[in-house]
Amino acid sequence: INNIYNKYPHILNFKMVPYEIFHQTISNHKYALDVRGTSRLNKRLYEILSTNTLLLAEKIDIIWPFEEGDYFSEECFFEQGNVDDLYRIYQDFENNPELYNKCLENQMYIVKKYFNNEWIWKYIQNIIN
């Protein structure tokens, strides 16, 4: 975060807010950034996906259990620690509203289809059986 903020401070709204308004704060922005912390997958990813905000994230090697062809948009992911790659992605979206809308619609499709109790429960049952 500090590397991003030091090089491109104008693309980050870097402020602390009480947790009670955290989700609403994310929802009021066009993008939300998920960078690796202590794990490859963290709760910020799921908090971002629960909003109508486009996820920008470091590439992770998670294999999602989605059907063939259902993937998060590659345009939203950047190389770990590569601030210039993140900035390029940000600029691509800012200069191309159609690309932004396409990626956000894809993200919302994935969230609606897979991030719900029914789908998750079926997935767990298939693993157990």
Side-chain angles (χ1 to χ4, degrees):
I1 294 288
N2 287 337
N3 288 341
I4 297 165
Y5 189 72
N6 289 337
K7 190 157 187 179
Y8 302 107
H10 64 285
I11 69 169
L12 287 182
N13 185 350
F14 194 47
K15 64 181 177 181
M16 301 290 284
V17 296
Y19 193 80
E20 300 80 43
I21 62 170
F22 177 72
H23 190 268
Q24 183 60 42
T25 302
I26 292 175
S27 299
N28 290 331
H29 288 83
K30 196 173 178 181
Y31 311 100
L33 180 62
D34 180 37
V35 293
R36 289 187 186 182
T38 55
S39 69
R40 297 179 315 191
L41 201 54
N42 61 63
K43 68 182 181 179
R44 294 293 175 251
L45 172 80
Y46 298 103
E47 290 168 339
I48 293 167
L49 293 177
S50 70
T51 68
N52 200 23
T53 303
L54 186 62
L55 167 73
L56 301 182
E58 290 181 323
K59 291 181 181 176
I60 53 176
D61 57 356
I62 299 298
I63 299 171
W64 297 101
F66 306 153
E67 293 176 18
E68 186 66 34
D70 285 346
Y71 306 107
F72 288 107
S73 301
E74 289 183 28
E75 295 92 341
C76 298
F77 293 87
F78 59 96
E79 294 297 330
Q80 184 179 2
N82 188 336
V83 238
D84 294 326
D85 196 24
L86 170 62
Y87 188 70
R88 178 195 52 76
I89 290 169
Y90 166 76
Q91 290 289 33
D92 287 348
F93 285 127
E94 285 296 289
N95 294 321
N96 189 343
E98 293 82 21
L99 177 63
Y100 173 86
N101 290 332
K102 177 191 82 116
C103 292
L104 182 59
E105 286 174 18
N106 184 51
Q107 176 181 302
M108 299 310 293
Y109 163 79
I110 295 223
V111 168
K112 184 177 181 181
K113 184 173 180 179
Y114 297 102
F115 291 81
N116 60 71
N117 289 339
E118 182 181 333
W119 189 89
I120 293 171
W121 180 243
K122 283 181 185 176
Y123 178 76
I124 292 169
Q125 286 179 321
N126 286 339
I127 297 294
I128 291 172
N129 294 331

